[in-house]
Amino acid sequence: MSIVEIGALAQLVGALAILLSLIFVVIELRKNFRQNIIANSLQRAPELDKLNYIQMDENMAKVLVKGYESYDRLEAFEKIQIEGYVNQRIHIATRAYRDADDVAFALAPDFLRERMKDSLVTLFSNPGMRECFHSMTERDLIYSPSLVWTMVGEEVLAQPAG
């Protein structure tokens, strides 16, 4: 074997080593991305608990009761509170819905998606919350309203006549 053939063989081995290194880096990046999604979902899990605690506050509970009945009858400051609450609920549900395949662990992703859908269906079963959603959508304050429509369905978000 000549020195030229050895050099060519060394180049081939070097090229294969670089290719294997790149494959390894891609695999590790994908793992890291999935781990970040799971870690973010674990950090977001307490968000829903915080919302539950917030709505247990007497003042917020009063605002929610008024808001469930009619968004238009709320005072300006109450609209801000309701909009923040609705936006937070939507963010939690849509993130969990999108990331269900990566964060569902032993639960089926469809189960998690169904839970998020049910959460929003319950929220939007109240006329005031639908009014709030439509008002915020018109003002472009809802991130990904099309995903909310897909999750919840037109029959739930339809504004009642009158």
Side-chain angles (χ1 to χ4, degrees), residues 68-70 72 124-132 134 149 154-162:
Y68 286 161
E69 293 172 6
S70 174
D72 294 328
F124 293 125
S125 67
N126 301 289
M129 295 297 107
R130 287 191 304 272
E131 292 168 7
C132 179
H134 291 293
W149 281 93
E154 288 186 36
E155 65 281 351
V156 173
L157 286 172
Q159 283 283 44

Side-chain angles (χ1 to χ4, degrees), residues 54-133:
I54 288 170
Q55 72 186 22
M56 285 190 281
D57 176 70
E58 184 177 352
N59 294 328
M60 187 61 183
K62 289 177 182 176
V63 172
L64 284 170
V65 168
K66 279 176 71 176
Y68 286 161
E69 293 172 6
S70 174
Y71 173 76
D72 294 328
R73 291 188 206 139
L74 294 173
E75 301 289 329
F77 74 93
E78 293 171 327
K79 286 183 178 181
I80 292 170
Q81 288 176 302
I82 290 293
E83 287 175 359
Y85 178 81
V86 168
N87 223 355
Q88 200 59 23
R89 290 280 302 267
I90 289 171
H91 279 295
I92 291 168
T94 56
R95 286 188 304 231
Y97 192 86
R98 283 192 312 260
D99 298 337
D101 288 322
D102 293 317
V103 301
F105 304 113
L107 300 174
D110 292 335
F111 175 77
L112 180 58
R113 285 190 180 101
E114 199 61 36
R115 282 189 55 213
M116 292 302 105
K117 175 187 173 187
D118 291 344
S119 169
L120 289 184
V121 166
T122 301
L123 179 68
F124 293 125
S125 67
N126 301 289
M129 295 297 107
R130 287 191 304 272
E131 292 168 7
C132 179
F133 174 78

Side-chain angles (χ1 to χ4, degrees), residues 24-36:
F24 176 75
V25 167
V26 167
I27 290 170
E28 291 302 312
L29 284 174
R30 290 187 72 201
K31 282 183 188 177
N32 190 17
F33 181 70
R34 280 203 174 124
Q35 288 171 347
N36 280 337

Side-chain angles (χ1 to χ4, degrees), residues 141-158:
L141 298 177
I142 301 288
Y143 175 76
S144 191
S146 58
L147 180 56
V148 176
W149 281 93
T150 300
M151 287 173 65
V152 177
E154 288 186 36
E155 65 281 351
V156 173
L157 286 172

